[in-house]
């Protein structure tokens, strides 16, 4: 836990440069995992995110566990300076990572010190359980899941777009009520979580 560095975002990528440059330097090579969005025909936000990262001075390369073998994915994690896990459907993301045999490789790399940047679904999947996201993402759209246990990199489940920008405020309020027995962190689009050295800090997003 003390060696991990995670930046968890709801929407905007503004904090990425200040998070990443002190850790891996300017011009770092970011492995971009687009998996959460692969079930959607419109993936315009992925191009926006790639463009934002490049505008911040980073090299961006896709690392897609749905398109390569587990061994190739694992090797790719060793050839990047940081990993970026995009938004989309968190249930599909988790199911696809497991189906590809990529979940453990990703967790192991992050626990060994590979900086992790997750936005929306990419933030949600890091927690102990993605079940509380069922009111925001449709589990029926996902790759088959036998368990909603997340990657367990952190001990809370991030609920993004906490001001209701995706799906409306009613879904956020229902999530708060129906999953009160879970440890939830409601993250607004203008916020980010930094987990580093065993400490969690909320910063402007």
């Amino acid at each position: 836990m003390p060696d991990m560095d995670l930046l968890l975002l709801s929407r905007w990528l503004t904090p990425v440069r200040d998070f990443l440059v002190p850790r891996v330097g300017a011009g770092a090579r970011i492995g971009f995992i687009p998996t959460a969005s692969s079930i959607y025909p419109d993936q315009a936000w992925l191009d926006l995110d790639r463009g934002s990262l490049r505008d911040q001075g980073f090299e961006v390369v896709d690392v897609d566990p749905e398109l390569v073998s587990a061994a190739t994915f694992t090797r790719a994690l060793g050839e990047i300076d940081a990993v970026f896990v995009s938004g989309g459907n968190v249930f599909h993301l988790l199911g696809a990572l497991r189906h590809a045999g990529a979940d453990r490789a990703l967790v192991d790399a992050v626990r060994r010190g590979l900086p992790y940047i997750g936005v929306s679904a990419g933030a949600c999947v890091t927690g102990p359980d993605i079940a509380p996201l069922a009111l925001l993402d449709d589990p029926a759209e996902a790759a088959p899941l036998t368990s909603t246990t997340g990657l367990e990199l952190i001990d809370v489940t991030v609920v993004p777009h906490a001001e209701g920008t995706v799906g409306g405020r009613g879904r956020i309020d229902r999530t708060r009520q129906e999953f009160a027995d879970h440890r939830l962190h409601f993250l607004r689009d203008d916020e980010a979580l930094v987990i580093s050295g065993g400490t969690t800090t909320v910063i402007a997003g």
Side-chain angles (χ1 to χ4, degrees), residues 7-170:
L7 174 65
L8 305 181
L9 307 157
S10 179
R11 187 170 187 177
W12 308 116
L13 307 190
T14 310
V16 171
R17 182 173 175 80
D18 286 346
F19 170 78
L20 211 48
V21 170
R23 291 168 170 83
V24 294
R29 194 167 195 245
I30 297 178
F32 191 99
I33 297 180
T35 308
S37 299
S38 67
I39 55 176
Y40 300 125
D42 181 5
Q43 301 175 16
W45 66 84
L46 297 186
D47 291 334
L48 290 173
D49 284 352
R50 291 186 186 98
S52 177
L53 294 172
R54 290 185 177 116
D55 288 346
Q56 293 183 49
F58 301 112
E59 179 186 356
V60 181
V61 294
D62 271 21
V63 180
D64 192 340
E66 290 188 293
L67 300 181
V68 299
S69 68
T72 299
F73 178 78
T74 301
R75 185 165 58 251
L77 292 177
E79 298 170 350
I80 56 177
D81 302 305
V83 63
F84 181 100
V85 184
S86 73
N89 186 306
V90 68
F91 295 94
H92 176 70
L93 172 60
L94 183 60
L97 287 172
R98 284 195 183 139
H99 180 72
D103 54 334
R104 296 319 309 168
L106 180 58
V107 167
D108 289 346
V110 175
R111 287 182 173 159
R112 287 196 305 268
L114 181 70
Y116 180 105
I117 303 163
V119 59
S120 193
C124 302
V125 78
T126 63
D129 191 353
I130 66 169
L133 284 308
L135 298 177
L136 301 180
D137 288 345
D138 185 357
E141 295 178 333
L145 267 181
T146 57
S147 168
T148 58
T149 299
L151 298 183
E152 299 183 295
L153 291 168
I154 63 173
D155 60 4
V156 298
T157 297
V158 173
V159 180
H161 317 299
E163 62 272 71
T165 48
V166 176
R169 185 55 191 252

Side-chain angles (χ1 to χ4, degrees), residues 182-193:
H182 288 68
R183 292 193 63 192
L184 305 178
H185 185 99
F186 290 84
L187 191 66
R188 299 196 312 264
D189 287 351
D190 62 353
E191 294 178 324
L193 282 180

